[in-house]
Amino acid sequence: MHNKGVEEVLKEVDSSLKGLTSEEAQKRLKVYGKNKIELEEENVLKIFLRQFTSPLIVILILASVIALYIGEAKDFFFIIGIVLINGMIGFYQEYKAKVKIKELLQLSVPTVKVIRDGKIVEISSEDITIGDIVIVKEGDLIPADIRFIETNNVLVDESILTGESIPVEKFAEKVLPEDTPIYERVNIGFGGTYVVKGIGKGVVFAVGLNTEVGRIYSKIKIKERETPLTRTIRSFSKKLLVVIISILLLIFIVGLMQGRDIEKLVMLIIAQLVSAVPEGLPIVITIALVIGAITLYKRKVLIRQLPAVEALGSATFICTDKTGTITENKLTVEKIYSLEDSINHLVFALCNDSDIERGDPIEVAMLRWLENQGYDYINLREKYPRLWLYPFDTKLKLMASIHKVKDEDILFIKGAFESLEKLTENVEDLDSLRKVHDEMAESGLRVLAFGYSKVHGPIQDITKVKIKLIGLIGFLDPPKETAVQAVNAAKKAGINIIMITGDNLKTAKTVAKMVGIHDEGKIALEGKDLEKYDDESLKSLLYKVSVIARATPEDKFRVVRILQSAGEEVVMMGDGVNDMPAVKAADLGIAMNEGSQATKSVAKMVLMERDLSVIVEAIKIGRTISHNLRKVILYLVSTSMGEIVLLFFAFMLALPQPIYATQILWVNLITDGIQDKTLVLSKEEKWIFYLKPKTFSEWFLDKIQLFRVFSFAFFMALLNLAVFLYLLKSDYPLEKAITIVFTGVVFSQWAHGFQIVREQPFFYKPLDNFKNNPYIFLAVIFIGIPLQLSAIYIFPDVLHCTSIELSDWIYPVITFVGIFGFLEIRKWIEFFIFKKLYNI
């Protein structure tokens, strides 16, 4: 389409400047499909089969073959049944997780303005089709391949397609040779690129996989990158496997030396290996992250990338903007100081791209002031038409436009006082203007300067123009009450906050003081001050900085990189297209729902409600998820080690085998299978938020965690072994003694699960255990107990069990009470040692 004129292109796609009708658009959507690039979705069968490709599952299948070979057909069918049940559970959980993730991602599909039925409407980018007339402006993603039909100073970043970081200027009027390479097609807007500056209009000629970006995607397979948490767990599992195999190998050697049946010994070792390694942990993590994403969405936070949920809990720095996040973003014109009152209304109405309902809050406030003064800004714009526009420049901190006023070309300009004073020709007024400016800023007002100049035609270099600086506007934007609470909560959690804003230093510092970000000992800087420091010096300085005013996008990006080099986990907020590099580079980039589509496309999270308290609340949820996963790991590792230590002690004492291979697999199913899935549903423990931030990998096996693992493992093993010895000495039949110990092991692990629900002792505010996680108790009562009773009384032969008398249940109950009591005593000791930690 680059080699054809506008009229020819419109004719070819059978459209017009009035766009498509709604009816025609629906017909074309059926023909061309949705405008989205969908990589090949994973086949449901493939997801199901993957549940059986784990090395441990392969080992388990091998064990079933061995069982069949030695004539234990019941064991064969039981093991195969366990494999199928685990596979079905894993498949269901993974499939549901993928569905939920897909549903959440659908919520972040960008919208686009198109002309339909001759009117401008806003629709989902997926619903545009060939022939649609699309309107794009600064910060918008171009939703599909378009042939520009109108351009007004349009600059497009095409780095995603060409690798070239310099924006390309677009010209609708140009017709190019057919062999023009992609990077020189200056009349085309490519889907997936974004508008850096200007306003344009184009007709869609390719959608979805037929766009240039879509064709590239269709040729490649993108493998989803593992999250840091998943990689850490994989590394942890390997180390754990080495420890477990070493112990089991020792058990195997001792068993051989004692002359035990080698085939049954192999079966036992394989079963214990499969039971001991937490192969279901990755899917538990996925479930936890999906639950977190759903919870966050209910709190007005949309997760675009699932790993962001885990990153939340590790955040150490929040780099927040000011307007709308810390302040109300309900700007009103509080004070005006002008040297020429007769010009004010013209600047306010004409050097302004918003309307009374939407747009930049500063510009909307200016229009509302005009309305209150009796001016009609629409009539003013019609009376004095715009001839030229210089959109707001984030570096120069100004905006300008030229209008025809009484046969003269007048440039109206507004921006930061320090930017406009450099262009001022009436220097004699600067001192008085500066004094008023400082007074406004120090009283917490957001200050904007304005002026005008008579010119002749468009300006080539805005920095060379000479203006008459005539006035200042002070806007009031009070801090949110929630911001004060959020700052206090973040400080208690050990999280540093830096306010990075384009606003004046005095205003920013005043607002930061109001909400508690800036206090004694903190430093407030301007963006230009950062240039005085090399990266190493700035690294140490940033720990003292609370405010960076007049910051450029480059300043934000540099701050993120330097903090990351110091080992910090950085949250960066942004909304404008120029915030995109910093948001993308941050560990947790956050975009605003009302911000540019370009920034939202690279952000890991989108705030539906612009408020610092929402971010702090999200970090709380992230920490809760991390802590719940820590509980799952503690539960799985300690119970597995308990079973291994029980076997080890029994073998070392030359006792009969206290638990059979199939019984170990059953224990794995009705304890781990139900309790690890419910532990991730535990609610927030408030004291968690008062810990210093740390990455999840630091939580895995710290000293406290290791102590808890081995103390439980040894106590569980010794208690069950003591019961086993007592039963044998009391002349209990071996099969009945094994059945009782088997049930005792199940009860031990249930007791452990109940205690892990909260860090605090169970009997410290006991009702809080059930409020915190009722699911784990319900799962044991309605699933676990009936299944265990079935194993003993309905199909005992399958698990080599024998029915036990009512009086025999005293031993599993004693085991449960003993384990529960041991853990309760341990928790009370920890409770008093770490009382301050629990914030009680």
Side-chain angles (χ1 to χ4, degrees):
M1 296 295 179
H2 58 279
N3 60 331
K4 297 171 182 173
V6 171
E7 289 184 7
E8 191 180 352
V9 171
L10 288 170
K11 187 176 180 181
E12 187 163 326
V13 298
D14 193 17
S15 187
S16 70
L17 295 177
K18 293 182 179 179
L20 302 174
T21 63
S22 298
E23 186 180 353
E24 178 62 24
Q26 289 305 314
K27 288 179 183 176
R28 295 192 185 192
L29 275 170
K30 290 176 182 177
V31 175
Y32 300 112
K34 290 275 188 179
N35 176 46
K36 57 182 179 179
I37 297 172
E38 283 190 316
L39 296 178
E40 186 180 349
E41 284 196 15
E42 196 169 18
N43 187 279
V44 173
L45 180 61
K46 191 175 178 181
I47 297 173
F48 178 74
L49 292 176
R50 185 168 59 245
Q51 311 307 315
F52 306 98
T53 57
S54 159
L56 295 170
I57 295 298
V58 173
I59 290 171
L60 199 53
I61 293 170
L62 178 63
S64 70
V65 174
I66 293 171
L68 192 62
Y69 173 74
I70 63 176
E72 297 286 350
K74 287 184 292 185
D75 286 358
F76 167 79
F77 288 112
F78 176 74
I79 295 170
I80 290 298
I82 289 287
V83 169
L84 286 172
I85 291 169
N86 272 327
M88 291 298 294
I89 292 171
F91 166 74
Y92 174 77
Q93 290 166 339
E94 186 171 348
Y95 180 73
K96 289 292 287 182
K98 285 182 179 292
V99 169
K100 282 293 180 187
I101 294 167
K102 190 174 179 181
E103 287 174 358
L104 288 172
L105 288 175
Q106 285 297 312
L107 297 169
S108 64
V109 174
T111 57
V112 62
K113 286 183 179 178
V114 299
I115 299 177
R116 288 267 177 95
D117 302 312
K119 298 176 183 177
I120 297 175
V121 294
E122 195 166 336
I123 63 173
S124 166
S125 64
E126 291 185 356
D127 292 333
I128 67 168
T129 189
I130 291 172
D132 265 323
I133 305 297
V134 175
I135 300 168
V136 291
K137 65 181 187 307
E138 179 181 332
D140 285 350
L141 275 176
I142 297 178
D145 286 358
I146 62 174
R147 168 63 162 89
F148 279 108
I149 55 179
E150 287 180 25
T151 49
N152 184 357
N153 297 318
V154 174
L155 290 176
V156 178
D157 184 327
E158 296 182 344
S159 56
I160 188 176
L161 194 63
T162 66
E164 177 57 60
S165 59
I166 300 172
V168 178
E169 189 168 5
K170 297 295 181 177
F171 303 94
E173 67 277 8
K174 290 203 173 184
V175 178
L176 305 168
E178 190 172 350
D179 59 353
T180 304
I182 286 175
Y183 54 85
E184 291 181 4
R185 295 179 187 175
V186 295
N187 55 9
I188 300 293
F190 297 104
T193 62
Y194 66 90
V195 181
V196 175
K197 189 178 285 187
I199 300 170
K201 191 184 289 184
V203 59
V204 176
F205 66 86
V207 294
L209 287 172
N210 291 319
T211 62
E212 285 297 330
V213 172
R215 280 194 280 271
I216 293 170
Y217 268 86
S218 64
K219 293 175 184 175
I220 60 175
K221 296 284 184 183
I222 296 179
K223 187 178 180 182
E224 192 173 313
R225 185 174 179 268
E226 283 187 324
T227 71
L229 179 58
T230 305
R231 291 197 299 273
T232 305
I233 283 177
R234 187 157 41 79
S235 172
F236 155 76
S237 297
K238 285 178 181 176
K239 292 173 185 175
L240 180 64
L241 191 59
V242 169
V243 173
I244 290 169
I245 289 174
S246 300
I247 298 172
L248 291 176
L249 190 59
L250 181 59
I251 293 173
F252 182 73
I253 292 168
V254 171
L256 284 177
M257 290 172 66
Q258 293 172 346
R260 296 179 188 257
D261 186 300
I262 188 168
E263 291 166 333
K264 290 185 177 180
L265 198 55
V266 169
M267 283 283 294
L268 178 70
I269 297 301
I270 289 174
Q272 186 62 72
L273 175 65
V274 172
S275 176
V277 177
E279 73 278 358
L281 196 53
I283 191 62
V284 173
I285 289 167
T286 303
I287 293 167
L289 297 182
V290 171
I291 290 169
I294 294 168
T295 305
L296 287 164
Y297 179 67
K298 291 175 181 176
R299 308 282 179 90
K300 308 287 186 182
V301 179
L302 177 61
I303 296 293
R304 295 192 69 256
Q305 296 180 22
L306 205 56
V309 179
E310 84 183 51
L312 276 168
S314 307
T316 58
F317 265 85
I318 298 175
C319 296
T320 175
D321 57 355
K322 176 179 75 69
T323 306
T325 307
I326 290 172
T327 60
E328 294 283 356
N329 199 20
K330 295 177 180 176
L331 290 176
T332 56
V333 176
E334 185 73 6
K335 188 174 182 180
I336 296 176
Y337 175 81
S338 179
L339 302 176
E340 296 185 30
D341 286 334
S342 60
I343 301 292
N344 296 352
H345 67 289
L346 294 179
V347 182
F348 291 10
L350 305 179
C351 190
N352 190 321
D353 275 335
S354 299
D355 58 48
I356 204 77
E357 297 298 331
R358 58 185 176 180
D360 184 289
I362 282 180
E363 294 186 336
V364 171
M366 292 165 74
L367 296 181
R368 291 194 186 281
W369 181 87
L370 283 174
E371 196 175 58
N372 292 335
Q373 299 300 312
Y375 291 103
D376 186 333
Y377 74 93
I378 296 175
N379 285 341
L380 289 172
R381 289 176 179 178
E382 290 174 353
K383 186 176 180 181
Y384 307 116
R386 180 180 286 178
L387 306 176
W388 176 84
L389 171 69
Y390 186 83
F392 182 76
D393 190 310
T394 56
K395 287 185 178 179
L396 297 178
K397 306 290 182 190
L398 57 82
M399 170 190 176
S401 59
I402 297 176
H403 297 260
K404 182 68 73 174
V405 181
K406 297 178 181 178
D407 298 324
E408 289 185 306
D409 292 352
I410 306 293
L411 178 139
F412 296 105
I413 189 168
K414 70 176 192 294
F417 177 77
E418 57 266 37
S419 296
L420 266 56
E421 69 176 337
K422 296 173 185 175
L423 311 177
T424 303
E425 56 183 7
N426 55 319
V427 292
E428 67 278 4
D429 297 317
L430 279 179
D431 285 343
S432 60
L433 286 165
R434 189 178 292 110
K435 183 181 178 182
V436 174
H437 170 274
D438 290 351
E439 287 172 356
M440 285 185 178
E442 285 169 2
S443 63
L445 298 181
R446 189 172 181 180
V447 188
L448 199 67
F450 60 93
Y452 71 96
S453 177
K454 293 180 181 180
V455 295
H456 300 285
I459 306 299
Q460 298 301 316
D461 185 351
I462 195 70
T463 62
K464 297 290 193 299
V465 72
K466 288 297 178 183
I467 66 165
K468 184 173 184 181
L469 187 59
I470 62 168
L472 301 161
I473 321 168
F475 300 88
L476 179 64
D477 186 11
K480 295 178 177 178
E481 288 183 18
T482 55
V484 179
Q485 298 163 2
V487 170
N488 287 335
K491 283 183 174 180
K492 286 180 182 177
I495 301 170
N496 296 288
I497 300 180
I498 301 178
M499 180 200 287
I500 305 180
T501 176
D503 214 337
N504 171 271
L505 180 61
K506 286 185 170 69
T507 304
K509 191 174 173 180
T510 301
V511 172
K513 276 183 179 178
M514 290 178 182
V515 297
I517 291 176
H518 184 79
D519 49 30
E520 198 68 35
K522 288 288 187 178
I523 300 170
L525 300 171
E526 287 193 336
K528 63 183 180 182
D529 296 328
L530 302 182
E531 297 171 11
K532 301 173 186 176
Y533 301 92
D534 59 30
D535 286 359
E536 202 57 40
S537 302
L538 191 56
K539 188 186 292 186
S540 56
L541 184 69
L542 284 174
Y543 287 92
K544 299 176 184 176
V545 171
S546 60
V547 176
I548 302 175
R550 295 301 188 213
T552 65
E554 289 79 7
D555 295 329
K556 290 185 177 183
F557 182 79
R558 189 181 176 208
V559 166
V560 169
R561 285 301 193 204
I562 289 174
L563 287 173
Q564 287 174 329
S565 71
E568 304 295 342
E569 297 284 325
V570 184
V571 175
M572 172 59 77
M573 300 170 59
D575 53 7
V577 66
N578 288 304
D579 292 329
M580 190 175 172
V583 169
K584 187 174 183 179
D587 298 284
L588 187 61
I590 300 178
M592 307 303 137
N593 193 44
E594 72 275 16
S596 73
Q597 295 292 357
T599 305
K600 284 194 279 189
S601 73
V602 299
K604 295 181 179 72
M605 280 173 49
V606 176
L607 287 193
M608 315 296 280
E609 184 179 309
R610 190 172 187 145
D611 196 319
L612 182 62
S613 64
V614 175
I615 296 171
V616 175
E617 184 64 27
I619 291 174
K620 283 185 181 180
I621 293 168
R623 286 201 182 181
T624 298
I625 289 164
S626 294
H627 190 236
N628 284 345
L629 290 174
R630 173 183 167 88
K631 292 175 182 177
V632 171
I633 289 165
L634 172 61
Y635 175 77
L636 292 175
V637 176
S638 55
T639 51
S640 299
M641 289 302 296
E643 293 169 14
I644 291 172
V645 174
L646 171 62
L647 283 173
F648 179 75
F649 284 162
F651 274 49
M652 293 305 289
L653 294 173
L655 294 173
Q657 190 174 308
I659 187 167
Y660 289 124
T662 48
Q663 291 173 348
I664 289 171
L665 295 174
W666 178 260
V667 171
N668 195 36
L669 179 68
I670 70 163
T671 59
D672 296 358
I674 60 174
Q675 287 192 304
D676 63 357
K677 310 300 186 297
T678 51
L679 276 172
V680 296
L681 302 174
S682 298
K683 294 177 183 174
E684 170 195 335
E685 293 188 65
K686 291 183 172 59
W687 65 271
I688 295 296
F689 199 59
Y690 301 113
L691 294 174
K692 287 185 178 179
K694 53 183 173 180
T695 59
F696 190 77
S697 60
E698 295 176 289
W699 284 57
F700 265 169
L701 287 179
D702 57 21
K703 291 177 182 178
I704 295 175
Q705 189 90 319
L706 280 170
F707 170 73
R708 289 172 178 173
V709 166
F710 286 108
S711 62
F712 170 82
F714 277 91
F715 188 82
M716 171 190 156
L718 289 171
L719 183 58
N720 281 283
L721 189 66
V723 170
F724 189 50
L725 280 167
Y726 176 80
L727 293 172
L728 292 178
K729 286 182 180 180
S730 301
D731 295 326
Y732 265 74
L734 180 60
E735 292 300 314
K736 181 173 279 193
I738 290 173
T739 301
I740 291 171
V741 170
F742 159 51
T743 306
V745 169
V746 172
F747 275 43
S748 299
Q749 298 192 13
W750 284 344
H752 193 24
F754 292 165
Q755 280 284 7
I756 284 182
V757 166
R758 282 198 311 156
E759 291 272 343
Q760 294 167 353
F762 191 93
F763 290 109
Y764 176 80
K765 299 181 179 178
L767 285 178
D768 285 358
N769 296 286
F770 304 98
K771 291 176 183 176
N772 194 50
N773 190 339
Y775 312 105
I776 194 166
F777 300 99
L778 294 173
V780 169
I781 292 168
F782 293 107
I783 300 174
I785 291 175
L787 284 175
Q788 185 63 17
L789 290 173
S790 301
I792 296 172
Y793 296 110
I794 297 177
F795 46 86
D797 292 346
V798 175
L799 293 169
H800 304 285
C801 291
T802 183
S803 294
I804 58 176
E805 311 301 327
L806 185 61
S807 59
D808 295 328
W809 281 94
I810 189 64
Y811 300 108
V813 170
I814 288 171
T815 306
F816 179 91
V817 172
I819 294 291
F820 193 90
F822 167 76
L823 293 173
E824 184 72 1
I825 292 168
R826 192 187 72 186
K827 287 172 77 174
W828 275 106
I829 293 169
E830 290 179 3
F831 181 72
F832 286 114
I833 293 173
F834 303 117
K835 198 167 184 180
K836 288 183 180 178
L837 176 72
Y838 294 118
N839 194 44
I840 294 168

